[in-house]
Amino acid sequence: MQGFRLKKFGGTQRWIVFAACCVRLFFVSGSLKANGVILDELVVKLNSNHVLVAWAFALQNACYYLISPVTQMLMNTFSYRQLSIAGGLLVGTGYILSGLFANKVWHIFVTYSLSGKIK
């Protein structure tokens, strides 16, 4: 890797980047791992069973990991900042649509898989 240099951060900027990474990991891990907390409530709201609603959560996790190669290709084309903003908007849109308009199980499948992308 000739010509590759890491950008050096100053003292305060280093801690801001560290804090932003910690907050991001907190929300990403929390959104992927805390689905069991809302499972019972979604089953009652959607008048469904636990297995079908849990499949929506599994689809979210699967999409999160399966989209990684595409995300890597996009990182070579766009900046990290642009991808982070696009991913945040996509995740937020998925969760908002899920909360406002999900009345059937297939709505949860679509909106939760949308919220599992480019995190």
Side-chain angles (χ1 to χ4, degrees):
M1 286 194 203
Q2 293 176 342
F4 180 75
R5 292 186 181 186
L6 291 174
K7 181 179 178 184
K8 293 187 179 184
F9 292 112
T12 305
Q13 190 177 12
R14 183 179 326 166
W15 287 107
I16 291 172
V17 170
F18 175 74
C21 289
C22 287
V23 169
R24 182 203 169 272
L25 283 173
F26 176 78
F27 284 112
V28 169
S29 298
S31 69
L32 288 176
K33 306 282 191 251
N35 291 328
V37 175
I38 61 172
L39 179 66
D40 290 331
E41 199 168 314
L42 277 176
V43 167
V44 171
K45 179 185 175 192
L46 300 173
N47 196 18
S48 183
N49 58 14
H50 284 80
V51 175
L52 198 55
V53 176
W55 266 101
F57 299 145
L59 181 65
Q60 179 190 27
N61 288 334
C63 288
Y64 176 69
Y65 292 114
L66 290 174
I67 201 74
S68 297
V70 176
T71 305
Q72 181 61 39
M73 286 187 279
L74 289 173
M75 281 185 187
N76 294 332
T77 306
F78 301 104
S79 71
Y80 297 119
R81 182 176 292 174
Q82 290 172 332
L83 277 180
S84 295
I85 291 170
L89 290 173
L90 199 58
V91 168
T93 302
Y95 283 138
I96 288 171
L97 289 175
S98 174
L100 294 177
F101 302 113
N103 296 324
K104 297 182 179 161
V105 177
W106 71 269
H107 295 156
I108 297 290
F109 274 81
V110 173
T111 58
Y112 265 54
S113 62
L114 178 70
S115 66
K117 307 312 142 289
I118 314 179
K119 288 186 183 179

